[in-house]
């Protein structure tokens, strides 16, 4: 019996132990289990203001947060170079003629007022002469004009304002030259481009004129290569590069302090290879009194001529420099055979008469005029428009 009781006791103890084990295994884990966190939603950069992407199903029920669709990583921005389409050159001078206001008020209006006086005595003629000289017309052209005006005024007797204007217009046009050929030689020779060499003393506006001319040629439908033959300063080539980049003209440059003639040669070679219409070579400013630098310029031209014809040698003259400009012009003309003058900064001067004196001095026409610092402020020179602007309409 006792044996039975022992066995039953053992069975009960084992059963109790088994039940306890089951309890431990099956009891809920409650607080000790880590909470199941909803997936974290981070704000997408740049979309911090976007409403949260949560969908609430029921006030009592748990909040279910639906993550937003995956955002593609931003692609790197590629900014295409902005290439401008410049306007054509036609009609530029008419658009810019208001820029001649200073020459108009001094030269144009001054002469009209003097010539409109009832009595033209010697003092008045002296004043007329002085006005012309002050406007840089030059001594010989001034004397020629005064003589002609005196004769014509005598013939006319009393003068109406229209007659005075016509008289003056005719005289100014005669001195400037209406029939002069001012064509810029930029027509390519078959497969070979035209070449324009830009020269002048420091700061006259060579690089600016090169850039403006490239724009206007491109505006007229030409393909252009620029040669940065100013190797004295790296900034000079950068300045030209900026002009080229704006209109999509390739710029050929060389090492700083390199040989300008070889850069000019390379630019022309590139122009030939790319079959462009015009190659414009910008050179460093140089004082006409520095023989070594003037010789270097002669070499630049000769080296280009091994590859192509130099169609234009443009002398860039600053209209505000007066008689000093005349001396520069003479020396440059001796060294490189100047074929045309680009007269810059006419917008800032009352000395518009320099057009007359410089042409007379060099026997070379003014082909381009700079009438401001803006990219399209360069115009083919038109004597009629110029004189009309001086005399007012
Ligand atoms: N107002 C006015 N300024 C001009 C004109 N042409 C050029 N300039 C200004 O003249 C300054 C000199 O121009 P650049 O083109 O650098 O002269 P540069 O002859 O190349 O000078 P260097 O290379 O140093 O000899 C610049 O500030 C131009 O904006 C013009 O027609 N009118
Ligand atoms: Mg320059």
């Amino acid at each position: 019996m006792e044996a039975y009781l022992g066995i039953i006791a053992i069975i009960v103890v084992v059963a109790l132990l088994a039940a306890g084990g089951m309890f431990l295994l099956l009891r809920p884990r409650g607080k000790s289990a880590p909470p199941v966190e909803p997936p974290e939603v981070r704000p997408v950069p740049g979309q911090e203001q976007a409403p949260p992407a949560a969908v609430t199903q029921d006030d009592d029920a748990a909040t279910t947060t639906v993550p937003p669709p995956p955002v593609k990583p931003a692609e790197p921005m590629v900014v295409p170079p902005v290439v401008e389409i410049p306007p054509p050159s036609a009609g530029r001078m008419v658009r810019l003629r208001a820029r001649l206001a200073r020459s108009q008020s001094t030269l144009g209006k001054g002469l009209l007022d003097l010539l409109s006086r009832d009595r033209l005595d010697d003092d008045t003629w002296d004043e007329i002469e002085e006005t012309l000289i002050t406007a840089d017309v030059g001594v010989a052209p001034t004397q020629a004009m005064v003589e002609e005006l005196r004769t014509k005024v005598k013939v006319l007797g009393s003068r109406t304002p229209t007659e005075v204007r016509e008289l003056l217009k005719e005289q100014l046009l005669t001195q400037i030259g209406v029939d002069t050929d001012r064509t810029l030689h930029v027509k390519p020779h078959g497969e070979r481009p035209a070449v324009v060499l830009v020269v002048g003393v420091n700061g006259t506006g060579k690089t600016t004129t090169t850039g403006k001319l490239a724009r206007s040629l491109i505006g007229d439908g030409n393909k252009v290569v620029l040669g940065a033959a100013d190797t004295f300063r790296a900034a000079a080539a950068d300045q030209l590069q900026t002009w080229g980049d704006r209109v999509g003209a390739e710029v050929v440059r060389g090492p700083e302090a390199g040989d300008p003639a070889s850069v000019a040669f390379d630019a022309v070679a590139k122009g030939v290879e790319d079959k462009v219409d015009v190659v414009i070579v910008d050179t460093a400013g140089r004082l006409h009194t520095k023989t070594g630098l003037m010789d270097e310029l002669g070499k630049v031209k000769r080296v280009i001529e091994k590859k192509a014809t130099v169609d234009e040698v443009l002398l860039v003259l600053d209209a505000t420099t007066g008689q000093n400009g005349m001396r520069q012009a003479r020396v440059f003309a001796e060294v490189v055979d100047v074929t045309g003058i680009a007269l810059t900064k006419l917008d800032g001067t009352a000395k518009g008469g320099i057009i007359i004196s410089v042409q007379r001095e060099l026997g070379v026409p003014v082909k381009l005029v700079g009438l401001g610092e803006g990219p399209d402020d360069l115009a083919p020179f038109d004597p009629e428009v110029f004189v009309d602007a001086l005399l007012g309409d």
Side-chain angles (χ1 to χ4, degrees):
M1 188 61 190
E2 274 182 17
Y4 276 119
L5 283 174
I7 289 165
I8 289 167
I10 288 167
I11 290 169
V12 168
V13 168
V14 169
L16 281 173
L17 283 173
M22 288 293 283
F23 172 74
L24 279 175
L25 276 172
L26 295 176
R27 83 191 159 112
R29 293 185 182 222
K31 287 177 189 165
S32 67
V36 179
E37 298 256 354
E40 190 187 8
V41 182
R42 287 175 192 274
V44 178
Q47 294 182 8
E48 282 84 358
Q49 300 303 318
V55 180
T56 305
Q57 290 170 328
D58 183 322
D59 277 353
D60 294 325
T63 299
T64 312
T65 307
V66 180
V71 177
K72 273 196 208 161
E75 285 175 13
M77 278 226 296
V78 180
V79 183
V82 182
V83 174
E84 297 170 26
I85 299 164
S89 60
R92 288 260 182 110
M93 192 142 180
V94 173
R95 179 176 68 77
L96 295 168
R97 70 178 170 182
R99 306 275 174 90
L100 293 161
R102 292 191 67 183
S103 283
Q104 183 196 2
S105 58
T106 316
L107 178 62
K109 193 170 176 305
L111 288 175
L112 282 173
D113 287 351
L114 287 164
L115 282 165
S116 300
R117 287 185 186 170
D118 286 341
R119 254 179 55 75
L120 293 178
D121 54 18
D122 283 349
D123 282 351
T124 311
W125 284 112
D126 282 351
E127 276 186 68
I128 290 171
E129 195 170 316
E130 209 179 296
T131 306
L132 289 165
I133 295 282
T134 313
D136 269 345
V137 169
V139 178
T142 295
Q143 280 165 358
M145 270 186 82
V146 169
E147 211 164 290
E148 272 293 298
L149 285 168
R150 278 192 130 164
T151 318
K152 297 254 161 94
V153 164
K154 244 185 226 152
V155 173
L156 270 178
S158 61
R159 289 135 277 135
T160 65
T162 319
E163 282 170 334
V164 171
R165 192 183 180 282
E166 281 309 304
L167 193 61
L168 204 48
K169 180 172 175 177
E170 185 197 327
Q171 282 307 304
L172 286 168
L173 283 177
T174 306
Q175 292 300 327
I176 294 170
V178 255
D179 300 326
T180 316
D181 179 13
R182 298 176 196 276
T183 322
L184 203 61
H185 297 119
V186 286
K187 289 259 171 298
H189 313 269
E191 299 243 306
R192 218 157 24 86
V195 177
V196 180
L197 182 62
V198 181
V199 305
V201 301
N202 311 68
T204 50
K206 292 175 298 298
T207 307
T208 311
T209 301
T210 304
K212 288 174 178 174
L213 179 59
R215 282 179 70 87
S216 114
L217 287 170
I218 289 169
D220 289 340
N222 296 286
K223 207 173 158 199
V224 175
V225 159
L226 297 174
D230 179 352
T231 54
F232 283 143
R233 300 171 294 124
D238 292 342
Q239 190 189 352
L240 197 64
Q241 185 83 53
T242 307
W243 281 98
D245 289 347
R246 284 179 69 173
V247 285
E250 177 124 10
V251 180
V252 175
R253 27 195 312 179
E256 198 174 343
D259 178 18
S262 93
V263 178
F265 183 87
D266 291 348
V268 174
K270 178 76 182 155
V272 172
E273 185 189 316
D274 289 359
K275 298 190 174 60
V276 303
D277 301 292
V278 192
V279 177
I280 316 175
V281 179
D282 177 34
T283 61
R286 63 198 74 225
L287 266 183
H288 53 297
T289 48
K290 301 265 188 219
T291 325
L293 292 179
M294 293 309 286
D295 290 347
E296 181 192 80
L297 194 59
K299 182 183 160 199
V300 170
K301 185 167 179 249
R302 284 193 303 277
V303 169
I304 295 175
E305 281 166 344
K306 290 184 178 166
K307 190 88 190 159
T309 316
V310 176
D311 300 271
E312 280 287 354
V313 179
L314 270 186
L315 173 66
V316 180
L317 274 186
D318 176 338
T320 63
T321 53
Q323 288 308 304
N324 193 30
M326 288 315 109
R327 277 190 289 280
Q328 298 162 20
R330 241 175 285 141
V331 182
F332 274 90
E334 278 166 24
V335 178
V336 279
D337 242 337
V338 173
T339 59
I341 297 158
L343 197 60
T344 58
K345 312 186 194 181
L346 255 187
D347 51 310
T349 180
K351 296 173 177 289
I354 194 170
I355 290 189
I356 295 171
S357 45
V358 75
Q359 292 188 143
R360 194 181 169 101
E361 187 72 39
L362 290 192
V364 164
V366 170
K367 293 189 170 177
L368 296 167
V369 282
L371 290 162
E373 295 193 78
D376 298 314
D377 293 347
L378 181 80
F381 178 60
D382 182 331
E384 287 256 0
V385 177
F386 177 70
V387 171
D388 278 341
L390 288 193
L391 302 179
D393 290 322

